[in-house]
């Protein structure tokens, strides 16, 4: 199940990935940090809690981790040109990886306008939460 929308942009060394295990559920927690050398193992000297993570991937079966690793290996092969059909594939236009974020912004703006017509104002953070709740309930 996917809950909410988020985009993680890798490539600058500013995403801290921390593995965790609790109650038999494995997790990979992502936190924005000060940039450092990509791949450098930074000692975890500070204490942190999962509620500080901006994205958490949880796993109840190790097979799901294997599939994630395989897909990441495919992405890597596509990027370095070694993926079998990547050399012959022709796409009419580039993919817009920001499109889903724009759709979310459009949803928020539309919802904001509907609420304003009722005479109410909701701060931005509240709008994000309200839209998330409405999506989870299937109203948006």
């Amino acid at each position: 199940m996917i809950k909410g929308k988020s985009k993680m942009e890798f490539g600058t060394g500013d995403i801290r990935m921390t593995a965790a295990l609790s109650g038999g559920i494995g997790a990979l927690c992502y936190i924005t940090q000060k940039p450092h050398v990509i791949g450098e193992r930074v000692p975890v000297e500070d204490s942190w809690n999962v509620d500080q993570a901006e994205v958490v991937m949880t796993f109840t079966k190790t097979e799901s981790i294997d599939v994630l690793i395989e897909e990441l290996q495919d992405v890597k092969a596509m990027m370095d040109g070694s993926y079998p059909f990547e050399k012959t594939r022709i796409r009419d236009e580039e993919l817009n990886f920001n499109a889903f974020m724009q759709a979310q912004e459009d949803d928020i703006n539309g919802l904001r306008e509907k609420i304003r017509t009722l005479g109410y104002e909701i701060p931005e953070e509240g709008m994000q939460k309200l839209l998330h709740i409405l999506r989870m309930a299937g109203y948006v």
Side-chain angles (χ1 to χ4, degrees), residues 4-103:
K5 288 188 176 188
S6 185
K7 179 182 177 192
M8 297 189 304
E9 295 179 340
F10 291 86
T12 60
D14 64 349
I15 296 177
R16 173 178 170 176
M17 294 179 266
T18 303
L21 179 69
S22 181
I25 297 173
L28 190 53
C29 303
Y30 298 87
I31 301 170
T32 302
Q33 65 179 8
K34 223 173 155 178
H36 65 277
V37 176
I38 295 172
E40 177 184 19
R41 293 289 238 180
V42 178
V44 180
E45 296 172 1
D46 60 334
S47 61
W48 67 276
N49 202 331
V50 73
D51 64 347
Q52 294 172 302
E54 295 157 80
V55 177
V56 177
M57 296 171 65
T58 59
F59 302 90
T60 56
K61 295 185 177 181
T62 58
E63 295 89 349
S64 297
I65 296 170
D66 293 335
V67 172
L68 175 63
I69 291 168
E70 289 170 13
E71 289 300 317
L72 288 171
Q73 288 172 333
D74 285 351
V75 171
K76 182 179 178 182
M78 288 175 189
M79 291 176 71
D80 69 18
S82 64
Y83 196 73
F85 60 80
E86 202 61 21
K87 293 175 184 170
T88 58
R89 175 191 64 103
I90 299 173
R91 189 179 293 280
D92 291 337
E93 58 186 61
E94 294 294 321
L95 296 173
N96 179 357
F97 294 120
N98 293 314
F100 79 98
M101 297 300 281
Q102 182 58 49

Side-chain angles (χ1 to χ4, degrees), residues 118-130:
L118 299 172
Y120 296 99
E121 268 309 309
I122 297 178
E124 184 61 31
E125 184 178 312
M127 286 298 293
Q128 295 279 353
K129 288 180 181 177
L130 178 58

Side-chain angles (χ1 to χ4, degrees), residues 2-6 100-109 111 127-140:
I2 298 173
K3 297 182 178 184
K5 288 188 176 188
S6 185
F100 79 98
M101 297 300 281
Q102 182 58 49
Q104 180 174 333
E105 187 63 31
D106 292 346
D107 288 347
I108 289 172
N109 289 333
L111 185 58
M127 286 298 293
Q128 295 279 353
K129 288 180 181 177
L130 178 58
L131 184 59
H132 177 72
I133 290 166
L134 292 172
R135 275 199 182 114
M136 295 306 291
Y139 290 108
V140 177

